[in-house]
Amino acid sequence: MRKGAAFALTCVGIALAGRVAAADPGLALPAYTAAYQPTTVDERGMWMEADERERMLRDSPLRIRDGQLEHYVRDVLCREVGAERCQSVRVYVMEIPALNASMMANGCMEVWTGLLLRARNEAELAAVLGHEFGHFELRHQLMGFKAQRGVTDAAAWIGVIGAMANTNVNGAQLSLAGSLYRFNRDQETQADLIGLKYLAASGYPAKAASEVWQQAMAEQDATAIGRGQKPKRQYSAGFFDTHPPDLKRSQYLAEAAARTPGGSDARAKEYREAIAPYLPRLLAAQVRKNDFGGSDFILAALAEQGGWTGDLLFARAELYRARGNPRDLQMASLWYRDAKAAGYAAPELDRNLGLALLRNGQAQEARQALSAYLAAKPDASDAKMIQSLLAN
Amino acid sequence: MKLVPIMIALSITVATTGASFANSLVPAGPRAGIAKSALSAKPDKEWNRLSLALGRNVEVWTVDGDALNKVTFFGGIASGSPLMREFDKKRQPLPKVATNMLITDIPALLESTYRSQNAVSQMSIDSQEPAMLGAHKGIRFTYSFTRSDEVARKGEGLGAIVGGKLYLVTYEAPALHFFDKDLERYRVLAASLAL
């Protein structure tokens, strides 16, 4: 009997050791199942909702269908996670000027144009895509759904018990809610780290992941300063935050990248070429958001990579003209002219230069620019308006 | 049984307090003091004035509901003020009216306001031409935009800067069917504006 007990204990010991080894956040990627299908009631329900959401994305007027943009983004993901894993993914690019991407359980990935504008190279885009793909591979949405249901069920029951006992249970409900947010933060960290493994394994420099968050923090500061506020970095996660604070995130990502540095080619040139046809549209949406500091920061960050191109100079001139202080109008006029010299050819440049000069009281120069616009585009949809400005 | 009189009393209270915030009918004929300003008009048909509180000098009229056809009056927005009330002054401040604005900056101000606050990610100013707002020189412009409900909408605006203040009237409706349905009704209203 004793022998048997000892044997059983040894077996348990081996099993436990095995579990510890498997739970270690080592280097192995999660098991991959081709053409995975949902298995449980929860999962099937979730996929059904995801399918419905995907149909909405597919038909949305915000989706950028023209050209090869969605193909390109998907190619970056495939390069990162491998052709086999990315077979199950569809990418939808939505014209929303904010930094975001998300992925649902059924393999539908949504990428906002704000991310495409802010990424400075393919590696930074791949860092965010890999993070989202990490959530997908680890089936986080399902676990999140179960955790949420578990916690809200418990919260509901505590509420009922509290009502029966006529005691205040808000504190208990709040601490359960906190455990749910904390759970989300843990998932984010897991996805960050698995995303980093994809990044490093595919030959992109792994430090790109932490750079994304450093840029995001710097942009937030620039936005605050541009609005006359104090830049306020959050150094620790608030109770209701679903994501780890950006600072902590960039730190642990930088540490992980130091261990697995990956390749050295971030493919900045290839990225710029792929985004170039869409850049004027993305820039125009950004500079009209009434975020002077953040927009100026993004423009400077892009210029740091590939120099002040005609597109970037024009966007900067637009940004300053919209703020409209005399000093802004002076700089705007300068940058419109620089943009023209750098090869920006659209006739709207002359119109906007003319409007900046006119608003700044430089009537004579304004007339020249506005006339040049009308000469280049006599049947423009605003020709009559510009003519009436010239007549005054 | 005791509950019934309490519920009746409660519903009467709700109904009476609700009345002070309610929408109201705008009959055909002259109407002054629109958007708490010097703006007046003479609609040829009935409109409904909504109780939407978009700002102190903002008034909204509609025929079928503001999602289907919406006329917004901005009555004399002073320099340094936003077009509408800011939901979140700190994180989503709105662009402000400026003394040195050109008349062509009016559509740009509307666009920037929508992009900042109304979750509008796609918007374009489609045409601009000189027009009269009452006896004042102004601008008429057309635009199109999509809000988060993903309905493609069209709009037409008539604006002017008078005495350093911005006066603007806009008409917005879904591009499909509704914009054309009430365009003439709006244009009659816009042509009757006086300041």
Side-chain angles (χ1 to χ4, degrees):
Chain A
M1 283 296 278
R2 267 190 162 182
K3 253 188 179 176
F7 176 73
L9 269 176
T10 319
C11 286
V12 170
I14 291 167
L16 277 176
R19 280 188 64 181
V20 169
D24 183 66
L27 296 170
L29 292 170
Y32 167 69
T33 317
Y36 175 82
Q37 290 299 307
T39 50
T40 62
V41 174
D42 281 347
E43 206 173 10
R44 276 194 293 273
M46 176 159 288
W47 279 54
M48 196 181 72
E49 283 180 14
D51 289 343
E52 184 57 35
R53 167 88 188 134
E54 182 173 357
R55 275 191 284 274
M56 286 170 65
L57 286 179
R58 184 195 62 193
D59 301 335
S60 169
L62 296 177
R63 184 178 164 203
I64 297 192
R65 294 178 177 78
D66 53 323
Q68 297 291 309
L69 192 58
E70 287 180 344
H71 281 288
Y72 171 70
V73 174
R74 190 169 180 276
D75 285 349
V76 172
L77 178 70
C78 294
R79 175 189 287 271
E80 185 183 17
V81 302
E84 199 185 8
R85 279 172 198 260
C86 98
Q87 273 169 1
S88 52
V89 180
R90 278 102 39 226
V91 171
Y92 300 89
V93 173
M94 311 302 283
E95 186 162 27
I96 304 175
L99 175 67
N100 197 16
S102 62
M103 190 158 183
M104 290 185 289
N106 65 349
C108 160
M109 183 182 263
E110 178 180 353
V111 175
W112 291 7
T113 46
L115 166 61
L116 300 180
L117 177 65
R118 283 166 179 81
R120 295 171 300 173
N121 49 50
E122 246 180 60
E124 289 187 354
L125 171 63
V128 178
L129 300 182
H131 166 93
E132 294 307 324
F133 190 80
H135 280 308
F136 168 71
E137 280 250 294
L138 299 171
R139 307 204 203 298
H140 275 164
Q141 203 186 356
L142 178 67
M143 284 187 269
F145 177 68
K146 280 182 173 163
Q148 194 173 1
R149 201 181 52 184
V151 170
T152 47
D153 282 359
W157 280 112
I158 290 170
V160 170
I161 294 164
M164 281 159 61
N166 200 20
T167 44
N168 187 346
V169 291
N170 285 347
Q173 281 178 328
L174 209 58
S175 70
L176 273 171
S179 77
L180 178 60
Y181 288 106
R182 158 88 214 185
F183 175 82
N184 283 342
R185 288 203 294 275
D186 290 346
Q187 280 196 344
E188 285 299 315
T189 307
Q190 280 177 24
D192 271 341
L193 295 175
I194 192 169
L196 193 101
K197 282 184 210 166
Y198 287 128
L199 200 62
S202 59
Y204 287 119
K207 66 178 181 359
S210 79
E211 284 168 1
V212 169
W213 297 111
Q214 282 164 15
Q215 286 291 106
M217 283 186 293
E219 185 191 326
Q220 279 171 23
D221 285 356
T223 296
I225 291 167
R227 287 175 176 162
Q229 298 159 0
K230 222 169 129 187
K232 190 177 152 196
R233 281 189 194 162
Q234 228 181 342
Y235 292 99
S236 62
F239 189 74
F240 289 111
D241 287 340
T242 55
H243 288 60
D246 295 348
L247 181 72
K248 189 177 153 202
R249 215 165 178 168
S250 83
Q251 279 168 350
Y252 68 62
L253 283 168
E255 283 163 20
R259 289 194 296 275
T260 49
S264 59
D265 186 8
R267 288 173 58 89
K269 189 169 163 285
E270 287 84 350
Y271 184 74
R272 276 200 298 278
E273 280 167 8
I275 297 298
Y278 307 92
L279 193 60
R281 185 169 166 181
L282 304 189
L283 289 169
Q286 176 63 39
V287 299
R288 291 172 194 167
K289 268 177 68 183
N290 194 36
D291 173 7
F292 183 87
S295 302
D296 207 27
F297 173 84
I298 292 171
L299 292 174
L302 293 175
E304 208 173 280
Q305 299 289 304
W308 282 101
T309 60
D311 282 336
L312 293 179
L313 285 163
F314 180 77
R316 197 170 196 199
E318 289 284 270
L319 182 68
Y320 278 66
R321 180 169 73 92
R323 193 166 70 168
N325 293 315
R327 62 192 153 98
D328 296 326
L329 296 169
Q330 186 183 352
M331 295 314 286
S333 307
L334 185 76
W335 287 324
Y336 281 125
R337 286 172 172 145
D338 286 353
K340 199 171 195 178
Y344 193 95
E348 282 71 20
L349 184 145
D350 278 320
R351 177 192 62 192
N352 297 1
L353 168 64
L355 294 174
L357 291 165
L358 194 62
R359 193 169 170 183
N360 208 26
Q362 296 161 266
Q364 195 52 42
E365 288 173 84
R367 282 208 168 81
Q368 280 175 13
L370 294 177
S371 304
Y373 169 64
L374 289 177
K377 222 175 166 183
D379 52 354
S381 66
D382 57 356
K384 281 184 197 157
M385 190 67 237
I386 300 298
Q387 271 159 8
S388 86
L389 288 178
L390 275 174
N392 283 334
Chain B
M1 286 299 279
K2 272 184 181 172
L3 272 178
V4 176
I6 295 172
M7 284 176 73
I8 292 171
L10 198 69
S11 51
I12 289 170
T13 318
V14 169
T16 47
T17 49
S20 58
F21 302 104
N23 308 323
S24 57
L25 183 74
V26 179
R31 187 175 180 93
I34 298 173
K36 293 194 179 120
S37 72
L39 213 51
S40 65
K42 199 176 165 188
D44 67 333
K45 288 183 181 144
E46 286 179 345
W47 288 81
N48 300 292
R49 182 194 163 174
L50 295 184
S51 58
L52 285 176
L54 295 182
R56 219 183 76 78
N57 291 102
V58 187
E59 192 169 313
V60 179
W61 293 8
T62 182
V63 180
D64 304 300
D66 66 333
L68 298 180
N69 34 46
K70 179 182 188 182
V71 172
T72 312
F73 301 89
F74 300 91
I77 311 289
S79 175
S81 300
L83 270 183
M84 303 176 201
R85 178 169 296 141
E86 293 168 296
F87 296 154
D88 187 343
K89 261 184 197 173
K90 197 172 169 203
R91 270 170 293 186
Q92 284 179 315
L94 293 182
K96 313 291 190 299
V97 174
T99 43
N100 68 346
M101 266 174 68
L102 298 176
I103 213 159
T104 48
D105 290 324
I106 296 174
L109 180 75
L110 185 75
E111 178 176 355
S112 184
T113 300
Y114 277 19
R115 284 181 181 269
S116 310
Q117 181 155 292
N118 291 1
V120 170
S121 300
Q122 285 175 339
M123 178 157 175
S124 62
I125 308 297
D126 302 324
S127 73
Q128 306 182 49
E129 60 182 23
M132 300 298 281
L133 177 60
H136 305 273
K137 278 187 181 174
I139 182 171
R140 179 183 298 121
F141 57 99
T142 60
Y143 53 101
S144 41
F145 65 105
T146 308
R147 295 178 61 149
S148 53
D149 62 6
E150 303 203 341
V151 175
R153 286 191 167 79
K154 289 207 291 186
E156 188 171 304
L158 177 63
I161 296 170
V162 181
K165 289 183 172 180
L166 173 67
Y167 291 84
L168 173 66
V169 184
T170 61
Y171 163 68
E172 291 166 0
L176 202 67
H177 177 69
F178 283 93
F179 186 82
D180 292 335
K181 178 176 92 75
D182 296 302
L183 183 60
E184 202 45 45
R185 193 171 182 162
Y186 157 73
R187 285 198 174 149
V188 171
L189 173 67
S192 76
L193 285 168
L195 192 62

